[in-house]
Amino acid sequence: MNTNPKLSEKEFDAEINKLIHNQEQEKAPAFFTENVMNRVRQEKPVINYHPVISKRAWFTIVIFVLAVAGYALTAPASSTNTRFTVPQFSTPLLLESINHWFGTVAAGGWQMIYSSGLLLPFAALFFALGLHFFIINGFNNSRKNKLDKMYCF
Amino acid sequence: MESNLEDIFWIEQILNGKTERFALLVNKYKDKVFSLARGILKNKEEAEDVAQEIFVKVFKALPKFKHKAKFSTWVYRIAYNECISHLRKQKISTVSVDHVSQNYMDTERNNTGNWQEAEFKSKMLHRALNHLPETDRGLVHFFYFDNLSVNEIAQITGLSVSNVKTKMFRIRKKLYEELQILTGKEMV
């Protein structure tokens, strides 16, 4: 014979909630992690390859360079056209020859770039790349190293 | 929030080739995943095999995790789908409350246990839960054991929020009826 008392729906609901919350959650068996890792090690490592310069960075660099090139090509021409000269060093004969050759090539190349209005876009490109590699990447790497020290043990 | 950031950190490490870091994620979620598998599949050995399979699938799918939901929600989704598809492959039929046989009712109704005893209550609750369909057992586990919100449950199961609420209402009703049958209690 069942002598249990009658319960209302509300009391039943409270009982069920209490019962379920008092249940102990099942624990995974011993060596579970080891067994999983044995299986995982047989799989190929999952690696996400990231480009050195991301798409967003490329987009920014190109827009910046185009903007500067646009300005350089459309800006009014300067009245003076100064020629860049490589500073002269006091060196032995061989080095003097190399220096002279380098100076000629560099001056010629420099004049070509300067007079064609490509100086500023080139400078902008190098500036943008330098900014990306040395400052932004450097910042990200230092953040990762900090997190590494916090979580790796 | 902090837990999710930690998970993302470990995932980044794993995706950079440090496979051994995956053990940390396994340790963190193994009890929850195993408990869910045990709740749905009922058999302990089967639950262990399926739980291991779940983690291997999680590892292989890590590059596809897009951080749109919490990592725990994503793991639960894989675990839930894997348990359900495992059961369906085996074509295990669960007894619905609506189709309880007369024999079952007669034998189970003669429980002379005392409702005041915790052990008796726990036993009856387990029996009642075992008679729910596997999808409903999953919902009960998420809602009562893991205290997940209805939105999270909807994300895991792929159901709409209103659908989850409706199902939870029906599940509660079924549990009442099941416990009545098992314990002989009557509603006032």
Side-chain angles (χ1 to χ4, degrees):
Chain A
M1 189 169 103
N2 200 334
T3 56
N4 292 317
K6 291 179 187 175
L7 291 179
S8 68
E9 188 171 336
K10 213 173 173 179
E11 283 167 335
F12 241 86
D13 205 19
E15 276 289 322
I16 287 172
N17 269 323
K18 198 173 147 188
L19 272 173
I20 289 178
H21 281 116
N22 285 342
Q23 298 288 315
E24 258 189 49
Q25 195 176 56
E26 292 258 9
K27 299 274 181 199
F31 306 112
F32 182 87
T33 305
E34 207 176 298
N35 293 337
V36 168
M37 290 311 293
N38 285 338
R39 288 179 67 172
V40 158
R41 283 183 201 109
Q42 290 169 17
E43 302 289 331
K44 253 177 25 174
V46 287
I47 298 175
N48 251 358
Y49 291 101
H50 298 288
V52 174
I53 303 175
S54 66
K55 277 184 193 168
R56 198 187 288 181
W58 270 122
F59 183 73
T60 313
I61 289 166
V62 166
I63 293 294
F64 186 62
V65 169
L66 284 175
V68 171
Y71 170 76
L73 291 170
T74 57
S78 164
S79 58
T80 56
N81 189 12
T82 54
R83 187 177 168 145
F84 175 80
T85 53
V86 175
Q88 296 294 314
F89 298 102
S90 166
T91 51
L93 187 63
L94 181 63
L95 285 176
E96 252 185 65
S97 313
I98 293 168
N99 193 29
H100 178 73
W101 175 84
F102 178 74
T104 311
V105 168
W110 177 258
Q111 191 180 15
M112 189 176 75
I113 291 168
Y114 189 78
S115 60
S116 70
L118 289 174
L119 170 66
L120 280 179
F122 266 106
L125 176 66
F126 286 121
F127 174 74
L129 283 171
L131 186 72
H132 175 78
F133 280 113
F134 294 111
I135 297 173
I136 296 172
N137 260 358
F139 174 73
N140 282 339
N141 285 337
S142 77
R143 182 180 68 92
K144 274 184 191 167
N145 288 339
K146 213 184 267 184
L147 286 172
D148 228 1
K149 279 177 195 161
M150 274 166 65
Y151 289 112
C152 292
F153 46 84
Chain B
M1 180 76 166
E2 213 176 280
S3 172
N4 197 43
L5 284 175
E6 196 184 63
D7 293 343
I8 290 169
F9 173 75
W10 294 126
I11 292 166
E12 277 181 19
Q13 297 263 306
I14 295 161
L15 293 175
N16 283 333
K18 294 177 184 173
T19 304
E20 294 302 317
R21 302 274 196 255
F22 188 66
L24 294 160
L25 289 174
V26 174
N27 273 333
K28 189 173 174 183
Y29 291 106
K30 64 179 180 182
D31 290 338
K32 291 182 190 256
V33 168
F34 177 74
S35 174
L36 172 68
R38 184 85 163 90
I40 293 177
L41 302 172
K42 294 191 265 187
N43 183 284
K44 194 174 179 181
E45 285 74 29
E46 220 176 299
E48 190 181 343
D49 286 339
V50 171
Q52 287 183 18
E53 188 57 40
I54 287 165
F55 278 107
V56 174
K57 285 201 170 178
V58 164
F59 176 76
K60 285 198 252 185
L62 270 179
K64 295 178 196 164
F65 177 55
K66 297 293 175 203
H67 306 276
K68 286 181 185 170
K70 285 196 296 185
F71 178 68
S72 56
T73 307
W74 187 71
V75 171
Y76 269 137
R77 183 161 194 163
I78 294 174
Y80 178 77
N81 289 336
E82 184 63 23
C83 290
I84 299 297
S85 64
H86 179 83
L87 268 183
R88 283 178 186 163
K89 275 182 208 166
Q90 292 189 329
K91 291 179 188 167
I92 291 169
S93 60
T94 52
V95 178
S96 162
V97 171
D98 302 328
H99 299 98
V100 172
S101 70
Q102 190 62 40
N103 286 341
Y104 158 72
M105 280 172 73
D106 287 340
T107 51
E108 291 293 331
R109 202 191 280 273
N110 293 327
N111 288 308
T112 51
N114 187 355
W115 185 249
Q116 304 307 319
E117 290 173 4
E119 202 184 311
F120 177 71
K121 285 184 198 178
S122 177
K123 188 175 154 190
M124 291 299 109
L125 178 67
H126 270 296
R127 281 195 189 163
L129 288 172
N130 283 344
H131 286 105
L132 293 175
E134 62 270 9
T135 48
D136 290 356
R137 289 202 296 273
L139 290 179
V140 166
H141 186 94
F142 292 136
F143 191 81
Y144 289 107
F145 287 97
D146 292 329
N147 294 315
L148 297 181
S149 67
V150 171
N151 285 331
E152 282 174 307
I153 297 173
Q155 277 185 309
I156 291 165
T157 57
L159 300 168
S160 65
V161 169
S162 54
N163 208 346
V164 170
K165 285 181 184 171
T166 309
K167 279 186 172 270
M168 285 311 304
F169 175 77
R170 284 183 192 154
I171 286 167
R172 271 198 207 94
K173 209 173 164 195
K174 276 185 186 176
L175 278 175
Y176 297 152
E177 289 164 4
E178 189 70 23
L179 281 168
Q180 278 178 68
I181 292 167
L182 290 171
T183 61
K185 281 193 193 15
E186 290 172 14
M187 303 288 280
V188 168

